[in-house]
Every structure is written in C-alpha cells, then in structure tokens.
Amino acid sequence: MSVTVRVPAKVNVQLAVGAARPDGFHDLANVFLAVGLYDEVTVTPADELRITCEGPDAAQVPLDRTNLAARAAIALAARRGIEPNVHVHIAKDIPVAGGMAGGSADGAGALLACDRLWGTGASRAELLAICAELGSDVPFSLVGGAALGVGRGERLTSLETGGTFHWVFAMAGRGLSTPAVFREFDRLAEGREIPEPVASAELLGALAKGDAEALAASVSNDLQSAALSLFPELSDTLAAGRGAGALAALVSGSGPTTAFLARDAESAQKVAGALRASGTCGAVRTAGGPVAGATVL
C-alpha cells in the first residue's frame, strides 16, 4: 500500500518583514498564494526511513533526515509512539532553493501522506501544529489557496480571492539560501527603524476582487533588495519580464525565482516566451492560482 499527496508551490504577493527578534526570527506579514506547480510525495511502508527524489534539480535535495519530508514523518511518528519506517519518494516539479516553498511543500505532503498511511486520525489542528514546528512556510503548503501568515508566517488566516491570477516564473541558474537572504536584509537595514509588518489593505482588496491590475499595483517584497544584493543578475530578469508586458515583477520570497503577474493566460504565454528568449534566466514556467493545498491523490 502507498499514499501519494500532491502539494503546490507558493508565491508571496506581499512579504512585509519586521526587525530581527531576540530568537533570530522576524515577524512577518506574508500574503501567500498557492500556484499550480506541484511536487508529489509518495509514502510506502519500509523497514526503515528512506528518502528518494526525482525530477529537475533532484540532485540538490538532501536525502537524509534533514529533509523536511523526513522530519515530518519523524515528528508524526514520535507523537504516536511508532517508528517512522516509510519510504518517502518525492517527484519534484517545484524549483529547488527557489523561494517557492518546495521543501516546505514536501514536508506538508509527507505529513499528510503518513497520516493517511498510518491511519493516525490526526486533526487538522494537530497537523498544522506539526507543520509550524517544521518551518514557517509548511502550514501554508498544507492549507493552500490564499492566506495571510503572521508571526514567522505560520499563523494563517484564509483570504478570499475573486478569480484566477496568471503568473510566469523564471528560474535562476543557482539557488539562494533563505537564512543568507535574511542576514543580508538585517545588514542592509542596520541603523534604520523598521516598521511593524502589516498586510496591505489595497492588496487584500485586489485579491478579493480578482483584479490583476490592482494586485500588480500593490505587490511587494521586503526581501527583494537583499536577494538582489546577493544575486544582482536577477535585476536583468525582472527588467526583461517588465519589458515583455508583465503587470508586476518581483522576486518570489527569498528568491532567486522571479515572479511576473500577467493580465491573462495569453499575456502570460507572451511574457514567458520573451523571458526564454532574453537569456537572463533558466527554465520558465506559467501557472495560475490560487489552487488547493496538499491533496491526497
């Protein structure tokens, strides 16, 4: 017997970052949108915990117990007093180290898959609590749709959306470390007052109405300057997307994937074609959102 869970990538349409806290984390106002790029996580009974991975950039995925999928299996098993003896296979299609929560998606997918495989009967609240222990983005990977995350981003409030938003994602030639980007944010912010992070009322209204132009006018990412400082070539990719008619262009999360909001599906294809021809990025993908979170197939 095996259980397969499909889990989506995310884009941050707003990422407001507060000052570093004493614990080293930052308070966030993080508006997530789940988009239709997916990993599939399959768990099968085994003699011991084992992780395998296939797909683009699979060689960059750790196959030991540091992998969030492994940590999810271990965390759920520990709560039930059982051994986490499963083979977790990850079929990746979400960029690795790309700022789209691919690792978090795998953690949420493995958690839900193990819950079903083992018949633990965990409540949604318990699963979300385990997700929050695993990482700031993992709860949203379980929930999907659109949501505002506060605290470290793990405390979620679902948001209404009035339709599908069309996105283009340009993958970079190398990854960026999320901790490194936050350290650079702290360095760039040194000596200035950082306001408390709050969600933009205009942005939430644009999501609720399904208004792509209004959303484009209000998207923001406080980590973008730090990501560009560490990876200056991303500026060329952003410029290429804007030049091709994207309504908005921004770094996705901590990067280095760049995200472009398009007016409609046809415009998204035009932007994608221009980005491919620009020579400023690697693979280019289109996806709509919001989509559902982790789903048992």
Side-chain angles (χ1 to χ4, degrees), residues 158-242:
S158 294
L159 299 173
E160 290 187 15
T161 53
T164 297
F165 295 94
H166 299 274
W167 293 88
V168 182
F169 298 99
M171 317 313 175
R174 59 182 173 87
L176 266 179
S177 157
T178 297
V181 174
F182 273 99
R183 286 194 297 271
E184 183 67 1
F185 172 85
D186 291 336
R187 187 188 72 80
L188 294 174
E190 193 171 353
R192 64 181 174 86
E193 189 73 20
I194 300 177
E196 288 294 316
V198 294
S200 160
E202 292 80 9
L203 181 138
L204 298 183
L207 282 174
K209 293 176 183 175
D211 187 333
E213 291 194 7
L215 181 62
S218 52
V219 295
S220 64
N221 180 1
D222 287 354
L223 291 181
Q224 181 158 312
S225 294
L228 293 177
S229 176
L230 296 174
F231 201 149
E233 302 93 324
L234 297 179
S235 296
D236 296 332
T237 311
L238 293 170
R242 291 190 199 98

Coordinates of all heavy atoms in Angstrom, one line a residue, residues 158-242:
S158 N -7.2 32.5 6.3 CA -7.5 32.3 4.9 C -8.1 33.6 4.3 O -8.8 34.3 5.0 CB -8.5 31.1 4.7 OG -7.9 29.9 5.0
L159 N -7.8 33.8 3.0 CA -8.2 35.0 2.3 C -9.1 34.7 1.2 O -8.9 33.6 0.5 CB -7.0 35.8 1.8 CG -6.0 36.3 2.8 CD1 -4.8 36.9 2.1 CD2 -6.6 37.3 3.8
E160 N -10.1 35.5 0.9 CA -11.0 35.4 -0.3 C -10.2 35.9 -1.5 O -9.5 36.8 -1.5 CB -12.2 36.2 -0.1 CG -13.2 35.6 1.0 CD -14.5 36.4 1.0 OE1 -14.8 37.1 0.0 OE2 -15.2 36.3 2.0
T161 N -10.5 35.2 -2.6 CA -10.0 35.6 -3.9 C -11.1 35.6 -4.9 O -12.0 34.7 -4.8 CB -8.8 34.7 -4.4 OG1 -9.3 33.3 -4.4 CG2 -7.6 34.8 -3.6
G162 N -11.1 36.5 -5.8 CA -12.2 36.7 -6.8 C -12.0 36.1 -8.1 O -12.8 36.3 -9.0
G163 N -11.0 35.3 -8.3 CA -10.7 34.6 -9.6 C -9.3 34.1 -9.6 O -8.6 34.0 -8.6
T164 N -8.9 33.7 -10.8 CA -7.5 33.1 -11.0 C -6.6 34.2 -11.5 O -6.9 35.1 -12.3 CB -7.6 32.0 -12.1 OG1 -8.4 31.0 -11.6 CG2 -6.2 31.5 -12.4
F165 N -5.4 34.2 -10.9 CA -4.3 35.1 -11.3 C -3.3 34.3 -12.0 O -3.0 33.2 -11.7 CB -3.7 35.8 -10.0 CG -4.6 36.7 -9.3 CD1 -5.4 36.2 -8.2 CD2 -4.8 38.0 -9.7 CE1 -6.2 37.0 -7.5 CE2 -5.7 38.9 -9.0 CZ -6.4 38.4 -7.9
H166 N -2.8 34.9 -13.1 CA -1.9 34.2 -14.0 C -0.5 34.7 -13.8 O -0.2 35.9 -13.9 CB -2.3 34.5 -15.5 CG -3.7 33.9 -15.8 ND1 -4.0 32.6 -16.1 CD2 -4.9 34.6 -15.7 CE1 -5.3 32.5 -16.3 NE2 -5.9 33.6 -16.0
W167 N 0.4 33.7 -13.6 CA 1.8 34.0 -13.2 C 2.8 33.4 -14.2 O 2.5 32.3 -14.8 CB 2.1 33.5 -11.8 CG 1.3 34.2 -10.8 CD1 0.1 33.9 -10.3 CD2 1.8 35.4 -10.1 NE1 -0.3 34.9 -9.4 CE2 0.7 35.8 -9.2 CE3 2.9 36.2 -10.1 CZ2 0.8 36.8 -8.3 CZ3 3.0 37.3 -9.2 CH2 2.0 37.6 -8.3
V168 N 3.9 34.0 -14.3 CA 5.1 33.4 -15.0 C 6.2 33.4 -14.0 O 6.5 34.4 -13.3 CB 5.5 34.3 -16.2 CG1 6.7 33.6 -17.0 CG2 4.3 34.5 -17.2
F169 N 6.9 32.3 -14.0 CA 8.1 32.1 -13.0 C 9.3 31.8 -13.8 O 9.4 30.9 -14.7 CB 7.8 31.0 -12.0 CG 6.6 31.3 -11.2 CD1 5.4 30.7 -11.5 CD2 6.7 32.1 -10.1 CE1 4.2 30.9 -10.7 CE2 5.5 32.4 -9.3 CZ 4.3 31.8 -9.6
A170 N 10.4 32.6 -13.6 CA 11.7 32.4 -14.2 C 12.7 31.9 -13.2 O 12.9 32.5 -12.1 CB 12.2 33.8 -14.8
M171 N 13.2 30.7 -13.5 CA 14.1 30.0 -12.6 C 15.6 30.6 -12.8 O 16.0 30.8 -14.0 CB 14.1 28.5 -12.8 CG 12.7 27.9 -12.9 SD 11.5 28.5 -11.7 CE 10.0 27.7 -12.4
A172 N 16.3 30.7 -11.8 CA 17.7 31.2 -11.9 C 18.6 30.0 -12.0 O 18.3 28.9 -11.9 CB 18.1 32.0 -10.6
G173 N 19.9 30.3 -12.4 CA 20.9 29.3 -12.6 C 21.4 28.7 -11.3 O 22.1 27.7 -11.4
R174 N 21.1 29.3 -10.2 CA 21.6 28.8 -8.9 C 20.6 29.2 -7.8 O 19.7 30.0 -8.1 CB 23.0 29.3 -8.6 CG 23.1 30.8 -8.5 CD 24.5 31.3 -8.1 NE 24.7 32.7 -8.2 CZ 24.5 33.6 -7.2 NH1 24.1 33.1 -6.0 NH2 24.7 34.9 -7.3
G175 N 20.8 28.6 -6.6 CA 19.8 28.8 -5.6 C 20.3 30.0 -4.7 O 21.4 30.5 -4.8
L176 N 19.4 30.3 -3.8 CA 19.8 31.3 -2.7 C 19.3 30.7 -1.4 O 18.2 30.2 -1.3 CB 19.0 32.6 -2.9 CG 19.7 33.8 -3.7 CD1 18.8 35.0 -3.8 CD2 21.0 34.2 -3.0
S177 N 20.2 30.9 -0.4 CA 19.8 30.4 1.0 C 18.9 31.4 1.7 O 19.2 32.6 1.8 CB 21.1 30.2 1.8 OG 20.9 30.3 3.2
T178 N 17.8 30.9 2.1 CA 16.9 31.8 2.8 C 17.5 32.5 4.1 O 17.4 33.7 4.2 CB 15.6 31.0 3.2 OG1 14.9 30.6 2.1 CG2 14.6 31.9 4.1
P179 N 18.2 31.7 4.9 CA 18.9 32.4 6.0 C 19.9 33.5 5.6 O 20.0 34.5 6.2 CB 19.6 31.2 6.8 CG 18.8 30.0 6.4 CD 18.4 30.2 5.0
A180 N 20.6 33.2 4.5 CA 21.5 34.2 4.0 C 20.8 35.5 3.5 O 21.3 36.6 3.7 CB 22.3 33.6 2.8
V181 N 19.7 35.3 2.9 CA 18.9 36.5 2.5 C 18.4 37.3 3.7 O 18.5 38.5 3.7 CB 17.7 36.0 1.5 CG1 16.8 37.2 1.2 CG2 18.3 35.4 0.3
F182 N 17.9 36.6 4.7 CA 17.5 37.3 5.9 C 18.7 38.0 6.6 O 18.6 39.2 7.1 CB 16.8 36.4 6.9 CG 15.3 36.3 6.6 CD1 14.8 35.2 6.0 CD2 14.5 37.2 7.1 CE1 13.5 35.0 5.7 CE2 13.1 37.1 6.9 CZ 12.6 36.0 6.2
R183 N 19.9 37.4 6.6 CA 21.1 38.1 7.1 C 21.4 39.3 6.3 O 21.8 40.4 6.9 CB 22.3 37.1 7.2 CG 22.2 36.0 8.2 CD 23.5 35.3 8.4 NE 23.9 34.6 7.2 CZ 23.6 33.3 7.0 NH1 22.9 32.6 7.8 NH2 24.1 32.7 5.9
E184 N 21.3 39.2 5.0 CA 21.5 40.4 4.2 C 20.5 41.5 4.4 O 20.8 42.7 4.4 CB 21.6 40.0 2.7 CG 21.9 41.1 1.8 CD 23.4 41.6 1.9 OE1 24.1 41.1 2.7 OE2 23.7 42.5 1.1
F185 N 19.2 41.1 4.6 CA 18.2 42.0 5.0 C 18.6 42.8 6.3 O 18.5 44.0 6.3 CB 16.9 41.3 5.2 CG 15.8 42.2 5.7 CD1 15.0 43.0 4.9 CD2 15.5 42.2 7.1 CE1 14.0 43.8 5.4 CE2 14.5 43.0 7.6 CZ 13.7 43.8 6.8
D186 N 19.0 42.1 7.3 CA 19.4 42.7 8.5 C 20.6 43.6 8.3 O 20.7 44.7 8.9 CB 19.8 41.6 9.6 CG 18.6 40.8 10.0 OD1 17.5 41.3 9.9 OD2 18.8 39.7 10.5
R187 N 21.6 43.2 7.5 CA 22.7 44.1 7.2 C 22.3 45.4 6.5 O 22.7 46.5 6.9 CB 23.7 43.3 6.4 CG 25.1 44.1 6.2 CD 26.0 43.4 5.2 NE 25.5 43.5 3.8 CZ 25.7 44.6 3.1 NH1 26.4 45.7 3.6 NH2 25.3 44.7 1.8
L188 N 21.5 45.3 5.5 CA 21.0 46.4 4.8 C 20.1 47.4 5.7 O 20.1 48.6 5.4 CB 20.2 46.0 3.5 CG 21.0 45.3 2.5 CD1 20.1 44.8 1.3 CD2 22.1 46.2 1.9
A189 N 19.5 46.8 6.6 CA 18.6 47.5 7.5 C 19.2 48.1 8.7 O 18.6 48.9 9.5 CB 17.4 46.7 8.0
E190 N 20.5 47.8 8.9 CA 21.2 48.3 10.1 C 21.2 49.8 10.2 O 21.4 50.5 9.3 CB 22.7 47.8 10.0 CG 23.4 47.9 11.4 CD 24.8 47.2 11.3 OE1 25.1 46.5 10.3 OE2 25.5 47.4 12.3
G191 N 20.8 50.2 11.4 CA 20.8 51.7 11.7 C 19.5 52.4 11.4 O 19.4 53.6 11.6
R192 N 18.5 51.7 10.8 CA 17.3 52.4 10.5 C 16.1 51.7 11.2 O 16.2 50.5 11.5 CB 17.1 52.5 9.0 CG 16.9 51.2 8.2 CD 16.7 51.4 6.7 NE 16.6 50.2 6.0 CZ 15.5 49.5 5.8 NH1 14.4 49.9 6.3 NH2 15.6 48.4 5.0
E193 N 15.1 52.5 11.4 CA 13.9 52.0 12.0 C 13.1 51.1 11.1 O 12.8 51.5 9.9 CB 13.0 53.1 12.5 CG 11.8 52.7 13.4 CD 12.3 52.3 14.8 OE1 13.4 52.7 15.2 OE2 11.5 51.6 15.5
I194 N 12.7 49.9 11.5 CA 11.9 49.0 10.6 C 10.5 49.0 11.2 O 10.3 48.6 12.3 CB 12.5 47.6 10.6 CG1 14.0 47.7 10.0 CG2 11.7 46.7 9.7 CD1 14.6 46.3 10.0
P195 N 9.5 49.4 10.4 CA 8.1 49.4 10.9 C 7.6 48.0 11.1 O 8.1 47.0 10.5 CB 7.3 50.1 9.7 CG 8.2 49.8 8.5 CD 9.6 49.8 9.0
E196 N 6.6 47.9 11.9 CA 5.9 46.6 12.1 C 5.3 46.1 10.8 O 4.7 47.0 10.1 CB 4.8 46.7 13.2 CG 5.3 46.9 14.6 CD 6.0 45.7 15.1 OE1 5.5 44.5 14.9 OE2 7.1 45.8 15.7
P197 N 5.4 44.9 10.5 CA 4.8 44.4 9.2 C 3.3 44.3 9.3 O 2.8 43.7 10.3 CB 5.5 43.0 9.0 CG 5.8 42.6 10.4 CD 6.1 43.8 11.2
V198 N 2.6 44.8 8.3 CA 1.2 44.7 8.2 C 0.8 44.4 6.8 O 1.5 44.8 5.8 CB 0.5 46.0 8.7 CG1 0.7 46.3 10.2 CG2 0.9 47.2 7.9
A199 N -0.3 43.7 6.6 CA -0.8 43.4 5.3 C -1.4 44.7 4.7 O -2.1 45.5 5.3 CB -1.9 42.3 5.4
S200 N -1.2 44.8 3.4 CA -1.8 45.9 2.6 C -3.3 45.8 2.4 O -3.7 44.8 1.8 CB -1.0 46.1 1.3 OG -1.8 46.8 0.4
A201 N -4.1 46.7 2.8 CA -5.5 46.7 2.6 C -5.8 46.7 1.1 O -6.7 46.0 0.6 CB -6.2 47.9 3.3
E202 N -5.0 47.5 0.3 CA -5.3 47.5 -1.1 C -5.0 46.2 -1.8 O -5.8 45.7 -2.6 CB -4.4 48.6 -1.7 CG -4.7 50.0 -1.4 CD -4.2 50.4 0.0 OE1 -3.4 49.6 0.6 OE2 -4.5 51.5 0.5
L203 N -4.0 45.5 -1.3 CA -3.6 44.2 -1.9 C -4.7 43.2 -1.5 O -5.1 42.4 -2.4 CB -2.3 43.7 -1.3 CG -1.8 42.4 -1.9 CD1 -0.3 42.5 -2.2 CD2 -2.0 41.3 -0.8
L204 N -5.2 43.1 -0.3 CA -6.2 42.2 0.1 C -7.5 42.5 -0.7 O -8.2 41.5 -1.1 CB -6.5 42.3 1.6 CG -5.3 42.0 2.5 CD1 -5.7 42.0 4.0 CD2 -4.7 40.6 2.2
G205 N -7.8 43.7 -0.9 CA -9.0 44.1 -1.7 C -8.8 43.6 -3.1 O -9.8 43.1 -3.7
A206 N -7.6 43.7 -3.7 CA -7.4 43.3 -5.1 C -7.6 41.8 -5.2 O -8.1 41.3 -6.2 CB -6.0 43.7 -5.5
L207 N -7.0 41.0 -4.2 CA -7.2 39.6 -4.2 C -8.7 39.2 -4.2 O -9.2 38.4 -4.9 CB -6.5 39.0 -3.0 CG -5.0 38.8 -3.1 CD1 -4.5 38.3 -1.8 CD2 -4.6 37.8 -4.2
A208 N -9.4 39.9 -3.3 CA -10.9 39.6 -3.1 C -11.6 39.8 -4.4 O -12.6 39.1 -4.7 CB -11.4 40.3 -1.9
K209 N -11.3 40.9 -5.1 CA -12.0 41.2 -6.3 C -11.5 40.4 -7.6 O -12.2 40.5 -8.6 CB -11.8 42.7 -6.6 CG -12.5 43.6 -5.6 CD -12.2 45.1 -5.9 CE -12.8 46.0 -4.8 NZ -12.4 47.4 -5.0
G210 N -10.3 39.8 -7.4 CA -9.8 39.1 -8.6 C -9.2 40.1 -9.6 O -9.2 39.9 -10.8
D211 N -8.8 41.3 -9.2 CA -8.4 42.4 -10.0 C -6.8 42.3 -10.2 O -6.1 42.8 -9.3 CB -8.8 43.7 -9.4 CG -8.5 44.9 -10.3 OD1 -7.6 44.9 -11.1 OD2 -9.3 45.9 -10.1
A212 N -6.4 41.9 -11.3 CA -4.9 41.7 -11.6 C -4.2 43.0 -11.6 O -3.1 43.1 -11.1 CB -4.7 40.9 -12.8
E213 N -4.8 44.0 -12.2 CA -4.1 45.3 -12.3 C -4.0 45.9 -10.9 O -2.9 46.5 -10.5 CB -4.8 46.3 -13.2 CG -4.7 45.8 -14.7 CD -5.2 46.9 -15.6 OE1 -5.4 48.1 -15.2 OE2 -5.3 46.6 -16.8
A214 N -5.0 45.9 -10.1 CA -4.9 46.4 -8.7 C -3.9 45.6 -7.9 O -3.2 46.1 -7.0 CB -6.3 46.4 -8.1
L215 N -3.9 44.3 -8.1 CA -2.9 43.5 -7.4 C -1.5 43.9 -7.8 O -0.6 44.0 -6.9 CB -3.2 42.0 -7.6 CG -2.2 41.0 -6.9 CD1 -2.4 41.1 -5.4 CD2 -2.5 39.6 -7.4
A216 N -1.3 44.1 -9.1 CA 0.0 44.4 -9.6 C 0.5 45.7 -8.9 O 1.7 45.9 -8.6 CB 0.0 44.6 -11.1
A217 N -0.4 46.7 -8.7 CA 0.0 47.9 -8.1 C 0.3 47.8 -6.6 O 0.9 48.8 -6.1 CB -1.2 48.9 -8.3
S218 N 0.0 46.7 -6.0 CA 0.2 46.6 -4.5 C 1.1 45.5 -4.1 O 1.4 45.3 -2.9 CB -1.1 46.5 -3.8 OG -1.9 45.5 -4.4
V219 N 1.6 44.6 -5.0 CA 2.5 43.6 -4.6 C 3.8 44.2 -4.0 O 4.3 45.3 -4.5 CB 2.9 42.6 -5.7 CG1 1.6 41.9 -6.2 CG2 3.5 43.3 -6.9
S220 N 4.5 43.5 -3.1 CA 5.7 44.0 -2.5 C 6.5 42.8 -1.9 O 5.9 41.8 -1.4 CB 5.5 45.1 -1.5 OG 4.8 44.6 -0.4
N221 N 7.8 43.0 -1.8 CA 8.6 42.0 -1.1 C 9.8 42.7 -0.4 O 10.7 43.2 -1.1 CB 9.1 41.0 -2.2 CG 10.0 39.9 -1.5 OD1 10.3 39.9 -0.3 ND2 10.6 39.0 -2.4
D222 N 9.8 42.8 0.9 CA 10.8 43.4 1.6 C 12.2 42.7 1.6 O 13.2 43.3 1.9 CB 10.4 43.6 3.1 CG 9.3 44.6 3.3 OD1 9.0 45.3 2.3 OD2 8.8 44.8 4.5
L223 N 12.2 41.5 1.1 CA 13.4 40.7 0.9 C 14.1 40.9 -0.4 O 15.2 40.5 -0.7 CB 13.2 39.2 1.2 CG 12.9 38.8 2.6 CD1 12.7 37.3 2.6 CD2 13.9 39.2 3.6
Q224 N 13.4 41.6 -1.3 CA 13.9 41.7 -2.7 C 15.2 42.4 -2.8 O 16.1 42.0 -3.5 CB 12.8 42.5 -3.6 CG 13.3 42.6 -5.0 CD 12.1 42.8 -6.0 OE1 11.1 42.0 -5.9 NE2 12.2 43.7 -6.9
S225 N 15.4 43.5 -2.0 CA 16.7 44.2 -2.1 C 17.8 43.4 -1.6 O 18.9 43.4 -2.2 CB 16.6 45.5 -1.2 OG 15.7 46.4 -1.8
A226 N 17.6 42.5 -0.6 CA 18.6 41.6 -0.1 C 18.9 40.6 -1.1 O 20.1 40.2 -1.3 CB 18.1 41.0 1.2
A227 N 17.9 40.0 -1.7 CA 18.1 39.0 -2.8 C 18.9 39.6 -3.9 O 19.8 38.9 -4.5 CB 16.8 38.4 -3.2
L228 N 18.5 40.8 -4.4 CA 19.3 41.4 -5.5 C 20.7 41.8 -5.1 O 21.6 41.7 -5.9 CB 18.5 42.7 -5.9 CG 17.2 42.4 -6.6 CD1 16.5 43.8 -6.9 CD2 17.3 41.6 -7.8
S229 N 20.9 42.1 -3.8 CA 22.3 42.4 -3.4 C 23.2 41.1 -3.5 O 24.3 41.2 -3.9 CB 22.2 42.9 -1.9 OG 23.5 43.0 -1.4
L230 N 22.6 40.0 -3.2 CA 23.3 38.7 -3.2 C 23.4 38.1 -4.6 O 24.3 37.3 -5.0 CB 22.7 37.7 -2.3 CG 22.7 38.1 -0.8 CD1 22.0 37.0 0.0 CD2 24.2 38.2 -0.3
F231 N 22.4 38.5 -5.5 CA 22.3 37.9 -6.8 C 21.9 39.0 -7.8 O 20.7 39.1 -8.3 CB 21.2 36.8 -6.8 CG 21.2 35.8 -7.8 CD1 20.8 34.5 -7.6 CD2 21.7 36.1 -9.1 CE1 20.8 33.5 -8.6 CE2 21.7 35.1 -10.1 CZ 21.3 33.8 -9.9
P232 N 22.8 40.0 -8.1 CA 22.5 41.1 -8.9 C 21.9 40.8 -10.3 O 21.1 41.7 -10.8 CB 23.8 41.9 -9.0 CG 24.6 41.4 -7.9 CD 24.2 40.0 -7.7
E233 N 22.2 39.7 -10.8 CA 21.8 39.4 -12.2 C 20.2 39.2 -12.3 O 19.7 39.3 -13.4 CB 22.4 38.1 -12.7 CG 23.9 38.0 -12.7 CD 24.5 37.5 -11.4 OE1 23.9 37.8 -10.3 OE2 25.6 36.8 -11.4
L234 N 19.6 39.1 -11.1 CA 18.1 39.0 -11.1 C 17.5 40.3 -11.6 O 16.4 40.2 -12.1 CB 17.6 38.6 -9.7 CG 18.0 37.3 -9.2 CD1 17.4 37.1 -7.7 CD2 17.6 36.1 -10.0
S235 N 18.2 41.4 -11.5 CA 17.6 42.6 -12.0 C 17.4 42.6 -13.5 O 16.4 43.2 -14.0 CB 18.6 43.8 -11.7 OG 18.7 44.0 -10.3
D236 N 18.3 41.9 -14.2 CA 18.1 41.8 -15.7 C 16.8 40.9 -16.0 O 16.1 41.3 -17.0 CB 19.3 41.1 -16.3 CG 20.6 42.0 -16.2 OD1 20.4 43.2 -16.1 OD2 21.7 41.4 -16.1
T237 N 16.6 39.9 -15.2 CA 15.4 39.1 -15.4 C 14.2 39.9 -15.2 O 13.2 39.8 -15.9 CB 15.5 37.8 -14.6 OG1 16.7 37.2 -14.7 CG2 14.4 36.8 -15.0
L238 N 14.1 40.6 -14.1 CA 13.0 41.4 -13.7 C 12.7 42.5 -14.8 O 11.6 42.7 -15.3 CB 13.2 42.1 -12.4 CG 13.3 41.3 -11.2 CD1 13.7 42.1 -10.0 CD2 11.9 40.6 -10.9
A239 N 13.8 43.1 -15.4 CA 13.6 44.1 -16.4 C 13.1 43.4 -17.7 O 12.2 44.0 -18.4 CB 14.9 44.8 -16.7
A240 N 13.5 42.2 -18.0 CA 13.1 41.5 -19.2 C 11.6 41.2 -19.1 O 10.8 41.4 -20.1 CB 13.9 40.2 -19.4
G241 N 11.1 40.8 -17.9 CA 9.7 40.5 -17.8 C 8.8 41.7 -17.9 O 7.8 41.7 -18.5
R242 N 9.3 42.8 -17.2 CA 8.5 44.1 -17.3 C 8.5 44.5 -18.8 O 7.4 45.0 -19.3 CB 9.2 45.1 -16.5 CG 9.1 44.9 -15.0 CD 9.6 46.2 -14.2 NE 9.9 45.9 -12.8 CZ 11.1 45.7 -12.4 NH1 12.1 45.7 -13.2 NH2 11.3 45.4 -11.1

